[in-house]
Amino acid sequence: MYDLDRAIEELAKAIDETRGHQRLWIADEHPLSSKLLNLLSDQNIYLISNRRDQINRARDAGLRAAFSDFDLTHPEGAPWDCIFFRVAKEKAIVHRVLNSASEVLRDTGTLWLAGHKDEGTKTYLSKAEDLFGCKAMVKRGKDQLFVGHLDLYKRGEPLPDDNYLELRQLQMSDSESYWTKPGLFGWKKIDQGSEFLIESLGTLKPDLANSRVLDLGCGYGYLACRAAELGAQEIVATDNCAAAISACRKNLKSFNSENYLCIPSDCADEVQGKFDLILCNPPFHAGFSTTTELHRRFFSAIRNKLKAEGQALVVVNQFLRLNNLCEENELIILDQQRDSNRHFDLYRLAHKG
């Protein structure tokens, strides 16, 4: 499915060096290979992830796994002997995990941390030394890859994590505010591509009052909320990320409608039924890597969830071309628009025939 991230690959090699029954692997958006999942299962290592796809694949491989927004608490309340963590993109998330690890590890329990220098790993290891009261044992590899481990001896002052666990309401424009949090795509602003999609939606004037709408990859829920404001009869917003689900649910709650739902799912796999209109601003990063695989999965979801006479509006950076993906999924491009700043393209899609 994906090439295994090198930092994860090196981190996995440390498994044989660990002892203890209570071991935890933390997975965010960096993809895990089937080989690694099988290894974790064989070693009886527990997994938590804020990504629905990681949890589904982990459980399919026989792992005990929990979907959460980085709640590292042992399911039975016991302390962990060892925790494995590949550095995330968002600093607040890394600080949150380091702080939590210092709380849920037993005394002299071990945290293994891996990542590249340009991802801040060297700095994180230094901060973890102060937090854990010990010197990190660090191995350096190719491409400035760092793999280090620390034993918890004395809990220091928590690292600033921007109150990661808390949703906060931010004023995004003169008239719009949304509940959001660090780690979400564009969490402090309205994404220009999504804004362009909504502007075009107002021009196209679909029959939203009689439409079932899917916000595919909803983030904190901007597209879903704007569709609600425009009078959509029914909305299902879905995302792979636990934090996105939490924020989007809170934002949709303000509309006080039982017809507006937010469902955690990997590319709408767990969403029932088909839709008159699909709105989508798809991601193209998995962890620190750019990948076309994510776009393929989103377009497969559009094909599977779009009604025969329905339409999908998909906005992407203008350098991306979607013709091949449409062809692969038997979708046709009804029209294509470029925003005035020439940053984004909006595709209006339908089923062939």
Side-chain angles (χ1 to χ4, degrees):
M1 184 176 173
Y2 296 107
D3 294 332
L4 183 60
D5 177 87
R6 283 198 61 245
I8 290 178
E9 189 173 13
E10 291 301 313
L11 190 61
K13 293 177 182 178
I15 290 174
D16 289 337
E17 301 180 36
T18 64
R19 296 293 182 270
H21 298 293
Q22 309 298 340
R23 292 180 290 175
L24 171 67
W25 187 285
I26 302 168
D28 70 338
E29 60 189 303
H30 299 286
L32 306 183
S33 70
S34 296
K35 181 179 179 181
L36 175 58
L37 291 172
N38 290 331
L39 173 62
L40 297 178
S41 180
D42 291 342
Q43 292 278 343
N44 197 30
I45 294 175
Y46 194 80
L47 181 143
I48 72 102
S49 180
N50 67 331
R51 303 286 164 165
R52 193 71 174 183
D53 61 334
Q54 302 276 42
I55 294 300
N56 292 343
R57 294 183 63 241
R59 288 173 177 167
D60 287 344
L63 272 81
R64 295 175 301 145
F67 179 59
S68 78
D69 195 7
F70 300 106
D71 179 357
L72 308 191
T73 307
H74 190 288
E76 298 174 359
W80 296 106
D81 296 308
C82 185
I83 294 175
F84 301 91
F85 178 51
R86 193 266 187 253
V87 166
K89 287 195 297 184
E90 179 69 38
K91 183 171 73 171
I93 289 177
V94 179
H95 284 188
R96 158 65 187 165
V97 168
L98 294 180
N99 288 337
S100 186
S102 74
E103 296 169 355
V104 299
L105 277 166
R106 64 169 173 78
D107 291 343
T108 70
T110 305
L111 171 68
W112 284 84
L113 195 69
H116 294 273
K117 183 179 180 180
D118 61 2
E119 297 164 358
T121 308
K122 185 177 180 181
T123 301
Y124 291 137
L125 283 164
S126 177
K127 291 179 177 181
E129 288 179 337
D130 295 334
L131 181 61
F132 277 53
C134 73
K135 184 71 176 176
M137 302 296 292
V138 182
K139 179 178 71 174
R140 293 170 174 82
K142 295 179 181 178
D143 304 321
Q144 297 184 309
L145 176 64
F146 291 80
V147 181
H149 67 276
L150 309 96
D151 296 330
L152 178 62
Y153 283 100
K154 182 180 179 181
R155 293 172 178 85
E157 288 297 316
L159 301 173
D161 64 4
D162 202 6
N163 296 318
Y164 176 77
L165 290 181
E166 298 179 9
L167 289 171
R168 67 289 317 263
Q169 192 173 33
L170 298 183
Q171 196 71 32
M172 305 289 195
S173 71
D174 291 342
S175 59
E176 296 172 277
S177 63
Y178 295 94
W179 292 95
T180 181
K181 68 184 300 186
L184 296 180
F185 172 71
W187 73 279
K188 289 184 176 181
K189 62 183 180 182
I190 296 174
D191 177 72
Q192 291 182 353
S194 294
E195 193 171 33
F196 175 46
L197 189 156
I198 291 299
E199 289 173 357
S200 302
L201 186 63
T203 302
L204 293 169
K205 299 186 186 316
D207 183 15
L208 290 174
N210 295 300
S211 293
R212 189 172 192 239
V213 179
L214 175 66
D215 181 355
L216 181 60
C218 61
Y220 62 76
Y222 172 76
L223 294 178
C225 288
R226 292 304 306 274
E229 290 170 359
L230 292 170
Q233 177 190 46
E234 183 178 352
I235 297 171
V236 174
T238 185
D239 203 285
N240 194 35
C241 173
I245 294 300
S246 175
C248 186
R249 279 178 175 166
K250 192 168 183 68
N251 286 317
L252 280 177
K253 188 176 181 180
S254 65
F255 293 95
N256 195 30
S257 173
E258 295 181 354
N259 293 326
Y260 296 164
L261 302 175
C262 188
I263 299 172
S265 182
D266 175 25
C267 282
D269 284 350
E270 298 165 77
V271 173
Q272 300 299 312
K274 294 183 182 290
F275 295 83
D276 303 288
L277 178 65
I278 296 177
L279 308 177
C280 185
N281 182 353
F284 59 98
H285 285 87
F288 288 97
S289 301
T290 301
T291 174
T292 58
E293 179 63 25
L294 277 174
H295 275 150
R296 288 193 176 91
R297 293 167 63 202
F298 270 80
F299 270 70
S300 175
I302 290 171
R303 177 194 64 212
N304 294 332
K305 296 300 177 182
L306 190 63
K307 287 183 178 179
E309 302 301 323
Q311 295 186 11
L313 297 179
V314 181
V315 65
V316 294
N317 289 323
Q318 57 88 19
F319 59 83
L320 295 170
R321 296 292 178 265
L322 304 185
N323 302 64
N324 290 340
L325 289 173
C326 289
E327 187 68 27
E328 289 174 14
N329 290 281
E330 298 186 330
L331 297 168
I332 58 172
I333 300 173
L334 299 177
D335 59 56
Q336 178 181 348
Q337 305 174 41
R338 181 160 293 179
D339 76 318
S340 58
N341 295 320
R342 303 187 65 79
H343 291 157
F344 300 97
D345 284 337
L346 179 71
Y347 291 80
R348 187 161 61 98
L349 311 177
H351 285 292
K352 280 186 177 179

